[in-house]
Amino acid sequence: MANRSSIFTLRVVVDFLMSVLEKSSSPGMGPWERDGCYMPNSWQNDRDLLPSRETLITMLRVLPGAFFFIDDTETIMYANASAQAITGATLEELRGTPFWRGAPQLVSSELYHAMLQARQIQASTEVEYCSPVTRTWLHVYLSPTVGGLTLQFHEVRAPAQRKREDEIRTLVDAIPQLVWIAGPDGYITYNNQRLIDYLAMTLEQVEGDGWMVRVHPDDHQRVRQAWQTAIQTGTPYEVEHRLQDGTSEAYHWFLVRGVPQRNAQGMILHWVGTCTNIDEQKRTEQQFKESQESFRLLAETVPQLVWTMWSDGRLDYTNQRYRDVTQANLNLEGDDLWRQFVHPEDIERTLMLRHQVLKNGNIYENEYRLRDGRTGEYRWYLARALPVRDEAGQIVKWFGTGTDIDDQKRIEEALRQSQEQANILMNSSIIGINIIEGEQIVEANDTFLRMTGYTREDLRAGNINWMRITPPEYRALTQQVHQQLTVQQYITPYEKEYVCKDGSRLPVLVGAVVLQHFPYQSIAFVLDNSARKELEQRKDAFISMASHELKTPLTALKMQAQLARKRLERQSPHEAATALSRVEGSIQQLERLIGELLDVSKIQAGRLEYLQEIVDLDTLLHEVTDTMQQISTTHTIVVRGATLCSLEGDKDRLGQVFINLISNAIKYSPGAETVEIDLSASPEAATIRVRDHGQGIPQEQRDKIFERFYRVSGPNQKAIPGLGMGLYIVAEIVRHHGGTITVESEVGKGSTFSVTLPLKRSLKPESTSVPETLG
Ligand code: ADP
């Protein structure tokens, strides 16, 4: 159906043709009579200037609308091809026939009145009506001409439909979408206002393919091709291309869509299309593309293994490094993929974790050993993956990385070991450790606290200040040492004392190193030096005592020797002999002293020699007590019971044990009169107890008396000579014979030393049985 603009165009063409035809017809002949056609006379004069008559007639014949020329009696003089088609008659049949009879399909009262009017006013007029025969709406353009009237018919849409179309068009013009309509041949016939505004072109400029000038040159070919394909195949048209904004001259991306509108027979009536601005979407797409590209670029550059995975666990992407390192077959599905390179010991944990996070969508983090496919060597990796979700919160993908943490692991392990070692050191029960910041001890181990008597609470409360726990006489030295520490970063151990929490002094050996500079901290190692100090004191005491002990018999020896010489000079041999026997006594005393000193040094060197012989204990003890009784003028030695045992050992050394114990018992009970010896035995061992009623030994010193050179401190003790070697030698001999020595004592009441000797090495069978009377 023709639209208004095409009717207008046709009308212009027809008017032109008619005027030419009128001018070209020969005089005397009716305008349409030559060759059976009417030819206007006036055309004769300008004949040479005009298109040929045939050409003009042909043009009229092929006009798309029905065209009639009727004379003043309304008889048809000419009807073109369309008119013949509508009436269903040939030109010959129509010519000479009254119009009302020849073309009943076109007849109506409105047309009749229009004809009258045209003739009357001798000017062109138009009429529109609905054919009572065909029920189609017709637009007729009536134009009076020489000797008659031309009628041009066009089928038009019914006014109601046109109104609706106009309304739709108004609506279409109002919507923000850019809308266009094209004919079945692809020729643009309509653009809505928006599109017109956007293109900044008139409808006429846009029509046909005028709009193509606004298509981006790079997209031209693609658009044209797509449009042609759509028209040829009748399939919907959809193309994304850039279209220029006519005002700003900027190009924007549009999604242009067109769908064909078809009639009941399936013929395409026209194409209706829209242009949607997709600039934003394109930009996003571009950004996404760019970000994806930069992700890939990044993924290829980073020193990690990078992978992406679909939500179902299938691998999507891996970077080159990933492929290089694993050398794995990445086409393998599911767990098999990971089994290729995860260490057998780590695989179960890894797979379990993977399944878990795939289910719950948590962040995946796992450490495992990964086999380097190139070297076959396993290295520790930290695998991390994050889920990427869509707007609905659904996981779309997983982004993961694998970082080589092998070196880190090794360092961690080394650190852990060294930390363990540091902990061992820190928790060492031998070395006290403290960390000093300024004058404050900010950290300390239990040993240090135990040494000094402070508690952890004191430490936390900042109550331990190293200057305050340093006695005044050591402060200058300590400060000097600390300066040395600042200069050379360490100090060699030095001796000092601490004032403990209870006020007592503790001799210590302290070494330190600088721990860190900000804040300045040093760490000090503290050794309890009291034992060494005591030993030193003991040695000092021993030396002075030993000098005294040696000097006494020597002085006596010297005096007796002089006396003996004088007696001999005076020729009194009897007196000389008495003096010499005293010399002997002193020599014996010296001998014993030197013997003990030698024993101590042999014990120290592990070279004390023992004989292996059978020793009858009872006999030995009686011999010893008899000798001791002879020497002692103050005490009575009482022997009770018997062991009735013999054992294998060194008789003299065992004798030395009992001599020592009995002489101590006498020596340390100056006011007492007896020393009791109790002998007993069990099948396993013989026990010898030596009891005195002397000064006793304080509880806390009872263990120490068996140590080398140890002498109980106290006023009573000082008066009694001794070098602290006897019990040390005794304990050593007893130990050598597999026995034990213990002491029970009460200060002021006396002490009992018990020696138990095992009989298992006894050679005497009867020694195992003890008579009841003697038990
Ligand atoms: P010393 O030569 O001093 O006697 P010992 O080694 O024999 O050396 O004894 C060590 C210390 O044990 C003595 O100095 C003394 O203080 C104490 N001691 C030993 N025996 C007795 C005792 N029977 N009664 C009290 N104290 C004793």
Side-chain angles (χ1 to χ4, degrees), residues 545 549 592 596 660-669 690-698 701 704-713 717 720-730 743 745 750-753:
M545 202 64 173
E549 287 285 293
R592 195 171 49 79
E596 277 192 353
N660 243 306
L661 291 178
I662 295 165
S663 68
N664 273 352
I666 295 169
K667 192 161 69 167
Y668 294 106
S669 62
V690 180
R691 177 179 296 141
D692 67 63
H693 304 280
Q695 61 195 42
I697 307 157
Q701 299 189 51
K704 294 200 162 188
I705 54 174
F706 299 102
E707 290 173 12
R708 193 163 49 121
F709 308 133
Y710 188 85
R711 304 202 73 221
V712 171
S713 50
Q717 176 78 24
I720 302 168
L723 293 173
M725 295 189 292
L727 285 182
Y728 173 70
I729 298 165
V730 163
V743 61
S745 184
S751 313
T752 305
F753 285 84

Side-chain angles (χ1 to χ4, degrees), residues 215-223 241-242 251 253:
V215 174
H216 193 283
D218 293 351
D219 302 336
H220 248 255
Q221 205 189 342
R222 197 162 46 85
V223 169
H241 66 80
R242 282 157 287 183
Y251 283 97
W253 276 95

Side-chain angles (χ1 to χ4, degrees), residues 97 112 275 311 337 433 688 722 730:
T97 312
Y112 177 71
C275 309
S311 55
L337 175 69
I433 299 172
I688 302 99
V730 163

Side-chain angles (χ1 to χ4, degrees), residues 754-775:
S754 305
V755 174
T756 303
L757 296 166
L759 305 173
K760 62 175 186 277
R761 292 185 294 183
S762 167
L763 297 176
K764 252 166 80 179
E766 66 271 26
S767 66
T768 52
S769 62
V770 180
E772 273 177 26
T773 45
L774 295 171

